[in-house]
Amino acid sequence: MSETKELTYADVKSHSGKKDLYVVVHGKVYDATKFVDEHPGGEEVLLDVGGQDATEPFEDVGHSDEAREILDGLLVGNLKRMPGDPAPSAAAPAASTITPSKSESAGIGVGLYALVLVGGIAAFGAYKYLQMNSESSK
């Protein structure tokens, strides 16, 4: 296997046009040139972050697993940070903190079930109360 290519921020910055577009996401360099016209968010989105660290905008959008697989296919190498380079974008939380765990999902489901149940009981009670009041006024 070949070694992973290392590119500096200056290398990445020189690839910022539509016909030659590199982006950095989580310290990895991707060649997005062939994907510019296919990007669902439009080419402007990629061109705005071309030649830069796009970690934060990439994570802010909440890309799907399919988008991350496409990104894997565009990998060129790793970013080699040098003194004077811009600070890396804040890393997004891991997927496990974004996706509720099974226990949290169960908690939401049980809570929702309880809310529907209490609402149903309250509605039934209000119905019976109104029914009794209408019978007693006859």
Side-chain angles (χ1 to χ4, degrees), residues 3-114:
E3 282 188 39
T4 303
K5 190 174 179 180
E6 285 194 335
L7 294 101
T8 64
Y9 196 80
D11 294 333
V12 174
K13 199 171 183 177
S14 68
H15 299 272
S16 60
K18 181 177 179 179
K19 297 184 189 278
D20 183 23
L21 185 69
Y22 282 14
V23 294
V24 176
V25 178
H26 294 294
K28 295 184 186 270
V29 180
Y30 300 95
D31 183 353
T33 308
K34 294 177 183 172
F35 191 66
V36 171
D37 293 327
E38 298 173 31
H39 189 261
E43 67 182 39
E44 299 82 24
V45 175
L46 286 176
L47 293 173
D48 285 347
V49 295
Q52 303 175 50
D53 189 338
T55 302
E56 194 170 334
F58 181 83
E59 293 298 347
D60 284 350
V61 171
H63 283 88
S64 66
D65 290 339
E66 182 182 357
R68 293 173 191 279
E69 287 174 20
I70 291 170
L71 196 62
D72 288 342
L74 304 175
L75 182 65
V76 174
N78 292 321
L79 181 66
K80 181 178 180 184
R81 296 220 178 252
M82 306 294 280
D85 284 351
S89 291
S96 63
T97 60
I98 295 172
T99 308
S101 68
K102 288 185 179 182
S103 62
E104 289 172 350
S105 296
I108 292 170
V110 170
L112 183 58
Y113 176 75

Side-chain angles (χ1 to χ4, degrees), residues 109-120:
V110 170
L112 183 58
Y113 176 75
L115 181 65
V116 169
L117 185 62
V118 168

